[in-house]
Amino acid sequence: MVTEEEVPDAAAAGAPAPAGGAGDDAGMPDAAAASGSDSDSSDSDDDEGAAGADELRIQALEQALQELPLDYETHVQYIQCLRKSGNIEKLRVAREEMNKYYPLTPKMWQEWAKDEISLSVSEESFADIEKLYERGVQEYLSIKLWRDYLDYVEEHDPSVSQCTPAGLSKMRDLFERAITAGGLHVTEGSKLWAAYREYEMAILITITDGNDEEKAKQVQRIRTLFHRQLTVPLAEMESTLSEYKSWEAEQGNANDPGSNFDGVPSNVISAYKKANDMYNERKHYEDQLSNAGASEADKLQEFQKYLKFEESSGDPARVQVLYERAVSELPVAGDLWIGYTSYLDRTLKVPSVLRSVYYRATRNCTWVSELWVHYLLSLERIRASEEELRHVFERAVQCSFPTIPEYLNVYLTRVHGLRRRISDGLDFQLIRQTFMDAAELLSPQLGTKELLHLNAYWAKLERTLGKDLAAARGVWENTIKKSGSVLEVWQQYISMEVEMGHLHEARSLYKRCYSKRFAGSGSEDICHAWIRFEEEHGTLDDYDLAVKKVTPRLKELMMFKSQEEAKVEAYSMLNDNSNADDSSQKRKANKMANKQQPPAKKRKENPPKSTVSSDTQGSKTRSGHSGAVAGVEVGEVTREKVEASTEMKVDSDRQTGNSSSTEPKPSFYNDKCTVFVSNIDLKANEDDLRRFFSDIGGATAIRLLKDRFTKKSRGLAYVDFSDNKHLEAALKKNRQKLLGKKVSIARSDPSKGKKSREAGGQDTLPQSGDDGAKAPGSSRPDKGVPKGDVKITGKNTVFAPRSVVKPLGWTTKDEKPDGGAGELKSNEEFRNLLLKK
């Protein structure tokens, strides 16, 4: 029942303050009256100040909800403020608005119903309040809410309170619904059974003594309720049995109070013992759930153990009630809802139950795409209408999913369902429109693999179900416009034409793409594929033409490959020479340092050192150390060399007092527990990387490599971990997406050279199907490289800062005798040097 403390004092909140000096204070002396007047005025000012603050708070929350209508906590705070202020009209609107987006908790439904009951002044309001209770008990299982609902109907429904036949039938149906919903609740279900029995006992009292037949029926009805409850494993079963025996004694059926089962039918005794054993098996799980201090994670784990036990017992009704208890306590646990809906799909398969549970699941966990996919499939299984399926699909695509492929999965699930039901008379335009919407929304953000999947399926259905070959070709042509440098796009387009026997069109596609640059060995692969195609399908003239076209292209590719290999070999030789000169220079420098010289002489013989420039237009550079790597492929530069060279550079700046060098001396790491992350989106920062590895934990330091001049990210980073366990977990995240781009993660091991890294399979060029793949030999300049600068080639260039690696054309022979640097060679001179070697 509703108490005065539970009802907001809306009338008091809106009532004016009483005037001072009125009523009982009229006979007070003047001073006392004046004092009372001042006190009343002060209280009135305080009330007005509090009311003004509440109003400002309400206005701020209204503004916040206009900007973020899906903010759950703001909705809750807004309702609480309105309830405190007593603004019932706004409060109703606020509750309805929140319930449009989210289910309300049982407590919120109780408060809503009690507020409406306190304001109801006519019988017409009974139906509205009854609907509120009905809505509340359908969202979550709550024994308390059911009890409030039953008590309200029993007290306020005229037909029930007057015990009319219609009222008795209505009340008993409501009790049976309550028993079905929560009568198997192990710890609280007995409260519903007790309320049901009390109602029937009250009916028994109203039956007059002369109506023996009706009285006997009512007695048997109560006895049956006792028997039903005693067969259910519930808490306090012993007290229920004692109550039953006492009730039987009141009906004139004497029994021995000292005997547990005296006067109890044998079938009830056996069922009671079985139920008691079942309760004892579950008591351990119930005790674990009753731990008030347990975290949500611990409670979820306990519920999952309990559910596994119940499912093994094989009683679907008990499993369903336990799932309802679980989702009521943990409403945003997606795993619980997925397990619940999957169990219903496998076991109960009742359309009304499935609709209800899936609807509540997707309202509680809107971001779980798997629930939406299962929802669509379940509706299709129970033969739901196209209108219902379309409505659920439209709700799904308006949600916020963590990743783009999840949206793709929802779209494809919709397409699959339409395809399966196309024989029922559905228009193919529905499938085409779904594909068009998916392509428009997702194409810019999909990876190559997902994009190929979407477009290949679309083209296939256009050809097979839509019977529109032009539309199928249009799908592939649009894909080529966006991803024409991806080999698989052409391969699948050609495969479709060959499958349909359109050899001329397939040949035309080969002619269009054989000269294109593809990642990896794709350029060679497409040439060989054309030759095989003509061998299997073409005439001799077609074959000869293909060979004529392909042969120069293959020679060009082979020459390019040879040139790249020659560059790598030349860089290796230059690196070896540079290392040898570096050692001799270091020994000479050490000897000179041991000699005592005047400070002025030292400064004269050791001129200031400057960083190595990458300018190739003949500018002169000076360096006090020749040990820096000279134009080598940086894949052969270990991090120790890079860091040592960087240290020399910083020391040089410190010695010369270079005011432009404000960078601190870098920290050095041994990389004993470090991963190297590459292919990072250039917009990502250290916080993004920290969030990326937050699910595994253990990250102790993150070093994002940046360009020395532009200070922009180079898409590379080193991440240190506290131990090998976290390191191994980090390596498993290889090829996962960070800001929509797949990153490569490898163990950082500076003790290994290039060959060992290549043997380990790390830092290889991306294949044609990978995101961000770039065709080899591309002449397009990389972003961030100034025009005219010589670009250091090689797949591991990322290991060395640009200030350390000398530009192409630099050799140790260009070192001047005094330790200075000679002029840089031009690109043409350097190419001649490579040919001579």
Side-chain angles (χ1 to χ4, degrees):
M1 296 302 298
V2 181
T3 62
E4 291 181 0
E5 291 80 10
E6 294 169 327
V7 179
D9 194 0
D24 295 336
D25 295 337
M28 294 174 60
D30 293 343
S35 176
S37 177
D38 292 341
S39 177
D40 291 344
S41 177
S42 176
D43 292 343
S44 176
D45 291 341
D46 292 342
D47 291 343
E48 290 178 359
D54 290 343
E55 185 61 29
L56 290 176
R57 174 67 173 160
I58 289 172
Q59 292 176 3
L61 290 170
E62 288 174 347
Q63 181 65 29
L65 286 175
Q66 288 180 359
E67 298 173 358
L68 297 172
L70 298 181
D71 191 324
Y72 183 89
E73 291 300 328
T74 305
H75 277 289
V76 173
Q77 295 174 21
Y78 184 45
I79 290 172
Q80 290 173 347
C81 288
L82 289 175
R83 192 165 189 257
K84 181 181 177 182
S85 69
N87 192 334
I88 192 64
E89 293 301 327
K90 275 192 173 182
L91 183 58
R92 287 193 185 110
V93 174
R95 282 165 166 162
E96 291 289 355
E97 188 68 15
M98 181 177 181
N99 194 229
K100 184 170 70 176
Y101 299 113
Y102 300 106
L104 305 184
T105 65
K107 182 180 178 181
M108 296 177 75
W109 283 112
Q110 286 179 289
E111 291 175 347
W112 192 352
K114 289 177 181 179
D115 291 348
E116 296 293 345
I117 292 171
S118 67
L119 298 171
S120 62
V121 294
S122 63
E123 294 182 357
E124 287 76 11
S125 61
F126 169 80
D128 295 333
I129 297 172
E130 188 179 26
K131 288 179 181 177
L132 282 181
Y133 275 118
E134 193 64 34
R135 289 166 61 185
V137 297
Q138 289 178 2
E139 291 201 330
Y140 294 115
L141 172 61
S142 171
I143 303 301
K144 292 180 179 180
L145 187 59
W146 268 109
R147 284 296 305 271
D148 289 351
Y149 186 12
L150 294 166
D151 291 343
Y152 175 75
V153 174
E154 186 176 351
E155 294 178 13
H156 294 84
D157 191 332
S159 63
V160 173
S161 58
Q162 295 171 11
C163 296
T164 64
L168 291 174
S169 177
K170 175 182 178 178
M171 198 64 203
R172 284 168 178 157
D173 289 344
L174 190 59
F175 269 116
E176 289 294 338
R177 284 181 56 205
I179 292 297
T180 301
L184 297 179
H185 193 302
V186 175
T187 57
E188 298 184 13
S190 58
K191 297 176 182 178
L192 295 176
W193 289 100
Y196 198 176
R197 291 199 315 272
E198 290 171 3
Y199 173 74
E200 294 294 353
M201 289 178 181
I203 299 299
L204 179 62
I205 296 173
T206 63
I207 299 175
T208 60
D209 293 337
N211 196 345
D212 295 337
E213 182 179 354
E214 187 64 28
K215 190 173 184 177
K217 288 182 179 179
Q218 188 64 20
V219 168
Q220 185 58 37
R221 186 176 284 113
I222 297 171
R223 181 178 291 114
T224 302
L225 279 177
F226 270 118
H227 291 175
R228 288 172 62 188
Q229 182 179 355
L230 290 172
T231 61
V232 179
L234 299 172
E236 303 177 356
M237 294 185 66
E238 294 82 359
S239 61
T240 304
L241 180 62
S242 299
E243 186 179 351
Y244 168 59
K245 292 181 65 178
S246 299
W247 180 82
E248 286 286 6
E250 292 174 1
Q251 306 308 312
N253 301 320
N255 54 70
D256 182 8
S259 174
N260 288 336
F261 302 111
D262 185 48
V264 181
S266 59
N267 62 319
V268 176
I269 294 173
S270 61
Y272 172 85
K273 290 181 178 180
K274 181 179 179 181
N276 196 42
D277 292 339
M278 292 174 65
Y279 171 74
N280 291 330
E281 291 174 350
R282 290 159 175 77
K283 189 175 185 304
H284 168 71
Y285 297 104
E286 294 292 343
D287 292 341
Q288 295 295 323
L289 291 177
S290 63
N291 182 9
S295 64
E296 288 190 354
D298 293 337
K299 189 167 288 188
L300 174 60
Q301 188 175 8
E302 294 301 328
F303 265 120
Q304 289 175 333
K305 292 178 182 178
Y306 199 172
L307 286 164
K308 185 177 181 180
F309 169 77
E310 285 291 5
E311 289 185 21
S312 65
S313 300
D315 187 347
R318 298 198 61 81
V319 175
Q320 186 179 2
V321 169
L322 185 56
Y323 265 120
E324 288 291 346
R325 288 176 58 187
V327 298
S328 178
E329 293 193 37
L330 303 169
V332 293
D335 290 343
L336 276 178
W337 285 109
I338 291 173
Y340 188 11
T341 53
S342 299
Y343 178 79
L344 294 178
D345 281 328
R346 296 192 313 267
T347 309
L348 290 183
K349 302 179 182 179
V350 179
S352 59
V353 175
L354 287 168
R355 281 188 172 96
S356 172
V357 175
Y358 269 114
Y359 176 74
R360 291 186 292 130
T362 51
R363 274 168 61 81
N364 280 280
C365 300
T366 58
W367 62 89
V368 182
S369 63
E370 188 177 352
L371 281 172
W372 290 101
V373 169
H374 291 177
Y375 193 0
L376 291 169
L377 294 174
S378 183
L379 289 175
E380 188 178 353
R381 291 189 192 99
I382 61 178
R383 309 290 181 184
S385 65
E386 166 59 22
E387 183 179 359
E388 184 177 3
L389 283 161
R390 177 179 53 79
H391 176 68
V392 171
F393 168 71
E394 290 174 352
R395 284 179 54 209
V397 295
Q398 291 173 3
C399 296
S400 298
F401 301 138
T403 62
I404 295 299
E406 292 181 76
Y407 285 96
L408 177 61
N409 196 21
V410 173
Y411 272 101
L412 291 179
T413 301
R414 170 66 169 162
V415 171
H416 298 330
L418 292 171
R419 178 189 60 78
R420 286 188 287 264
R421 293 179 292 115
I422 197 72
S423 58
D424 296 340
L426 292 178
D427 188 355
F428 180 78
Q429 183 60 31
L430 290 174
I431 295 178
R432 179 178 292 139
Q433 187 62 48
T434 305
F435 273 121
M436 291 171 64
D437 293 343
E440 181 180 2
L441 176 66
L442 306 178
S443 290
Q445 305 173 73
L446 283 177
T448 302
K449 183 179 179 180
E450 292 85 3
L451 188 62
L452 276 174
H453 181 195
L454 175 66
N455 289 308
Y457 189 30
W458 184 3
K460 178 182 177 181
L461 294 189
E462 288 284 3
R463 178 170 54 89
T464 56
L465 295 183
K467 308 298 182 183
D468 192 340
L469 180 58
R473 286 172 175 160
V475 171
W476 283 120
E477 291 295 338
N478 287 333
T479 308
I480 286 174
K481 289 179 182 178
K482 299 175 183 177
S483 305
S485 61
V486 179
L487 175 63
E488 288 83 351
V489 173
W490 293 94
Q491 289 176 327
Q492 295 203 31
Y493 191 2
I494 293 170
S495 177
M496 182 191 79
E497 297 290 1
V498 173
E499 182 181 348
M500 298 180 63
H502 299 157
L503 303 183
H504 177 71
E505 288 75 8
R507 183 175 294 109
S508 298
L509 290 174
Y510 275 120
K511 291 178 180 179
R512 288 170 58 187
C513 70
Y514 83 96
S515 60
K516 291 184 175 293
R517 284 193 295 267
F518 298 111
S521 61
S523 300
E524 294 91 335
D525 293 342
I526 198 66
C527 292
H528 294 305
W530 187 8
I531 296 297
R532 286 194 301 271
F533 168 79
E534 297 298 357
E535 289 174 341
E536 297 173 1
H537 303 284
T539 65
L540 183 58
D541 290 340
D542 295 329
Y543 173 79
D544 290 341
L545 178 61
V547 172
K548 181 180 178 181
K549 294 280 188 182
V550 164
T551 300
R553 175 59 176 162
L554 289 175
K555 289 182 179 179
E556 178 186 355
L557 294 170
M558 187 177 299
M559 183 179 299
F560 173 79
K561 186 176 181 181
S562 300
Q563 290 175 351
E564 291 297 310
E565 291 176 351
K567 289 180 181 179
V568 171
E569 184 177 356
Y571 296 160
S572 299
M573 294 172 63
L574 292 174
N575 185 33
D576 293 340
N577 293 335
S578 176
N579 289 339
D581 291 344
D582 185 24
S583 300
S584 63
Q585 289 290 337
K586 286 183 178 179
R587 287 194 296 270
K588 182 183 295 184
N590 291 336
K591 291 180 180 179
M592 294 297 294
N594 292 332
K595 295 181 180 180
Q596 297 295 331
Q597 296 177 347
K601 186 176 183 180
K602 289 183 179 180
R603 287 195 298 271
K604 182 178 180 180
E605 294 184 358
N606 294 279
K609 307 160 191 175
S610 61
T611 58
V612 179
S613 171
S614 59
D615 194 346
T616 61
Q617 299 178 0
S619 62
K620 296 182 180 181
T621 62
R622 304 183 63 86
S623 172
H625 299 277
S626 60
V629 183
V632 297
E633 182 184 8
V634 189
E636 298 180 2
V637 181
T638 63
R639 286 188 62 204
E640 284 91 342
K641 294 179 181 178
V642 172
E643 291 166 345
S645 300
T646 306
E647 183 180 17
M648 285 187 278
K649 195 284 178 182
V650 175
D651 290 341
S652 174
D653 288 340
R654 186 183 296 110
Q655 292 171 9
T656 58
N658 188 355
S659 59
S660 63
S661 177
T662 60
E663 297 183 3
K665 183 176 179 179
S667 301
F668 298 104
Y669 304 86
N670 55 22
D671 285 1
K672 290 184 178 179
C673 200
T674 304
V675 297
F676 174 67
V677 188
S678 59
N679 200 39
I680 303 172
D681 191 286
L682 297 182
K683 297 179 181 179
N685 54 32
E686 293 182 356
D687 290 336
D688 295 321
L689 283 167
R690 189 171 289 105
R691 284 191 291 270
F692 180 73
F693 289 105
S694 62
D695 57 334
I696 61 173
T700 59
I702 297 177
R703 288 163 278 154
L704 187 65
L705 276 63
K706 297 183 179 180
D707 185 271
R708 181 172 182 82
F709 302 102
T710 65
K711 304 301 180 185
K712 294 182 179 180
S713 170
R714 298 168 59 192
L716 313 161
Y718 290 97
V719 183
D720 298 329
F721 289 90
S722 57
D723 52 47
N724 282 327
K725 179 181 178 181
H726 290 95
L727 180 90
E728 294 297 332
L731 292 174
K732 293 180 181 179
K733 293 175 73 67
N734 185 35
R735 308 304 297 161
Q736 292 188 19
K737 287 189 176 182
L738 171 61
L739 300 185
K741 189 173 182 180
K742 292 181 180 178
V743 297
S744 297
I745 304 174
R747 183 190 294 269
S748 178
D749 190 354
S751 63
K752 294 184 178 181
K754 174 187 173 185
K755 292 183 179 180
S756 60
R757 282 195 298 273
E758 289 182 342
Q762 301 297 336
D763 301 325
T764 57
L765 287 172
Q767 298 302 310
S768 59
D770 291 344
D771 294 340
K774 186 176 180 181
S778 176
S779 60
R780 293 174 295 179
D782 291 351
K783 294 181 180 180
V785 179
K787 184 177 180 181
D789 285 2
V790 179
K791 184 176 182 296
I792 301 177
T793 61
K795 58 188 176 184
N796 283 331
T797 307
V798 297
F799 280 143
R802 292 181 181 175
S803 61
V804 175
V805 180
K806 290 184 173 63
L808 295 180
W810 182 272
T811 68
T812 55
K813 295 180 180 179
D814 295 316
E815 297 286 351
K816 288 189 175 181
D818 62 353
E823 291 189 2
L824 298 178
K825 292 183 180 295
S826 66
N827 290 340
E828 185 66 25
E829 292 172 330
F830 184 66
R831 282 195 291 269
N832 294 333
L833 174 64
L834 292 178
L835 294 176
K836 291 179 181 179
K837 287 182 177 293

